[in-house]
Amino acid sequence: MTTFETEPTADPYVVRDPALVDAIVHELDLHSDVLFTWDYERSRTALVKLYEKAKTSQWNGNDLPWHLEVDQEKVAADSAAQNERFNVMQTDPESPLRSWGEKEWLKASAEIQTAMLSQFLHGEQGALICTGLITATVPWIDAKYYAATQVMDEARHVEVFARYLQEKTNGMYPINPNLGSLLDDIIVDGRWDITYLGMQIMVEGLALAAFGFMHMLTTEPLLKQLLRYVMSDEARHVAFGVLSLKEFYEGLDAAEIRERQEFAFEAAVRLQQRFMFHDVWERLGADPKAVHEFMLSRPNPGQEMFQSILFSKIVPNAKKLGLLDAGDGWLRTKFTEIGIIQYEDWVDTTDEYASLDAVAPPGA
């Protein structure tokens, strides 16, 4: 088995051995109202159906084929296909990485995949915390029931991604600052629907597309099965957000809707930036700032395609919620500006979550 060794560093933000990081707890002040409800009537049929689906779609992470060895050289070769978006850095004579050869780019492929999996892990912990909040803050009993099943799902996702990174790779990367600040904003806002919008629609929607992209490319059997099972859960989670917010947004005024549009756009911008891989370039001895500036200065269809397709689940769901064209169509204009509006007519997650379920018994 081939492994890619990394040099130790004194900077705790690029050390990937959790045992070497002193500050591992991130504390936030919460300002959320906890809502009990004494109305136990099961009145939201779509959420009842989703809850029943969740109960039949549970799986155990221990049942994945953990005994399989992971050949990182083969994983790197698989993930190299993802790195076509960096072709310009390999061919342009002014590239800060122009001296890199096949060996360096193969190592970069492995590191980038590890970095992506690390952000998946951190995002799943964010989802675990947010869904725990939703059980306490959402006012409807059907939503509380379903959110409780998602807490279990998210704990399982954190477990399997952490185990994969710890046992099958060289170790995890710290949370990307753009993802970290977005999770902070989602959690501390205090309004339950912002928790839904930020996590269920934006973060989980992008994750669902990213999982599908990696699942399509990888041939590593453990990772492929892990991703497929997680996708089954994630599709239900996003559908939960769409179903709940659609009802709630119908009762908001124009100013309140505009605030949600602006939040969704800001989240989209930060989610795009989480895949710039600054810590990877630094880990490999390159200047992250120089790489970033070079990428911004050159037309890069591969990078633009990669970044845009990650929003293929978010945009149709935003349209389903009425956010794209509410008011003066502000969010449609903004999504057009960042190059993701072309996904608006793709299937929304409430129509596809059942087809993505790889776990539930037939007919469940």
Side-chain angles (χ1 to χ4, degrees):
M1 182 175 75
T2 302
T3 60
F4 297 103
E5 297 182 355
T6 56
E7 295 297 325
T9 173
D11 185 348
Y13 293 100
V14 296
V15 170
R16 291 185 292 130
D17 180 356
L20 301 178
V21 180
D22 293 329
I24 59 172
V25 176
H26 181 58
E27 184 176 290
L28 295 173
D29 289 329
L30 295 180
H31 306 284
S32 301
D33 293 328
V34 173
L35 300 180
F36 283 87
T37 177
W38 312 128
D39 180 3
Y40 297 99
E41 182 69 26
R42 306 299 302 279
S43 59
R44 290 169 174 81
T45 304
L47 289 180
V48 172
K49 181 179 178 181
L50 204 63
Y51 175 57
E52 294 301 320
K53 188 74 170 175
K55 289 193 292 185
T56 63
S57 299
Q58 296 297 308
W59 49 278
N60 189 336
N62 290 334
D63 294 336
L64 294 170
W66 294 106
H67 64 281
L68 296 176
E69 282 198 28
V70 175
D71 184 336
Q72 287 203 14
E73 186 174 52
K74 187 175 187 304
V75 170
D78 288 346
S79 62
Q82 302 180 43
N83 299 334
E84 291 182 4
R85 62 189 183 279
F86 302 123
N87 279 348
V88 66
M89 286 198 296
Q90 301 176 47
T91 58
D92 193 304
E94 297 183 12
S95 167
L97 305 180
R98 59 188 174 277
S99 64
W100 282 17
E102 183 178 350
K103 178 182 178 181
E104 288 81 9
W105 280 107
L106 190 63
K107 185 175 181 179
S109 296
E111 291 293 326
I112 287 171
Q113 174 140 309
T114 299
M116 290 183 67
L117 290 171
S118 298
Q119 300 318 310
F120 293 162
L121 167 64
H122 303 314
E124 294 299 331
Q125 185 180 173
L128 172 63
I129 291 170
C130 285
T131 315
L133 289 174
I134 287 172
T135 63
T137 59
V138 71
W140 311 319
I141 194 65
D142 289 317
K144 289 181 183 293
Y145 287 160
Y146 178 79
T149 70
Q150 187 175 334
V151 172
M152 183 64 239
D153 290 347
E154 304 298 0
R156 184 169 58 241
H157 297 176
V158 173
E159 172 199 354
V160 296
F161 278 121
R163 183 174 177 181
Y164 189 91
L165 285 159
Q166 290 164 349
E167 296 183 8
K168 307 300 182 180
T169 76
N170 287 334
M172 66 188 67
Y173 279 83
I175 190 168
N176 175 275
N178 289 290
L179 176 60
S181 65
L182 176 58
L183 293 179
D184 286 356
D185 288 347
I186 292 170
I187 291 167
V188 303
D189 184 277
R191 291 168 293 181
W192 68 264
D193 78 285
I194 294 295
T195 307
Y196 266 91
L197 178 59
M199 178 52 64
Q200 306 293 108
I201 305 302
M202 303 303 297
V203 176
E204 297 262 69
L206 183 138
L208 181 57
F211 295 157
F213 185 72
M214 185 176 286
H215 177 269
M216 176 182 67
L217 290 177
T218 188
T219 60
E220 197 279 282
L222 170 59
L223 181 59
K224 202 171 188 72
Q225 186 173 339
L226 184 159
L227 289 168
R228 188 64 187 88
Y229 277 22
V230 171
M231 288 168 63
S232 297
D233 295 339
E234 295 290 4
R236 289 196 314 276
H237 302 168
V238 178
F240 172 48
V242 174
L243 290 170
S244 299
L245 290 181
K246 191 172 189 304
E247 174 182 348
F248 182 70
Y249 284 172
E250 289 172 355
L252 297 186
D253 61 31
E256 291 170 322
I257 289 292
R258 177 59 174 269
E259 188 175 0
R260 274 69 178 176
Q261 289 176 311
E262 292 174 354
F263 184 90
F265 175 67
E266 176 62 26
V269 171
R270 283 194 270 182
L271 288 171
Q272 275 191 327
Q273 294 172 349
R274 75 182 259 198
F275 291 107
M276 297 305 293
F277 304 116
H278 297 289
D279 45 0
V280 171
W281 307 125
E282 184 171 9
R283 169 60 56 178
L284 296 175
D287 180 350
K289 183 178 179 181
V291 172
H292 181 63
E293 290 177 351
F294 176 82
M295 291 176 64
L296 291 178
S297 71
R298 298 293 194 278
N300 193 338
Q303 174 73 356
E304 292 169 4
M305 175 60 73
F306 169 75
Q307 286 193 323
S308 72
I309 201 167
L310 294 177
F311 291 86
S312 60
K313 304 296 183 185
I314 290 176
V315 181
N317 289 324
K319 185 173 184 177
K320 179 91 170 186
L321 292 173
L323 290 179
L324 274 188
D325 294 308
D328 57 359
W330 184 88
L331 189 58
R332 171 180 293 279
T333 300
K334 291 298 182 181
F335 277 1
T336 300
E337 290 174 357
I338 63 173
I340 61 175
I341 196 62
Q342 65 268 29
Y343 301 110
E344 65 169 305
D345 292 323
W346 285 36
V347 62
D348 69 79
T349 308
T350 58
D351 290 334
E352 71 169 350
Y353 76 86
S355 67
L356 290 174
D357 198 323
V359 183

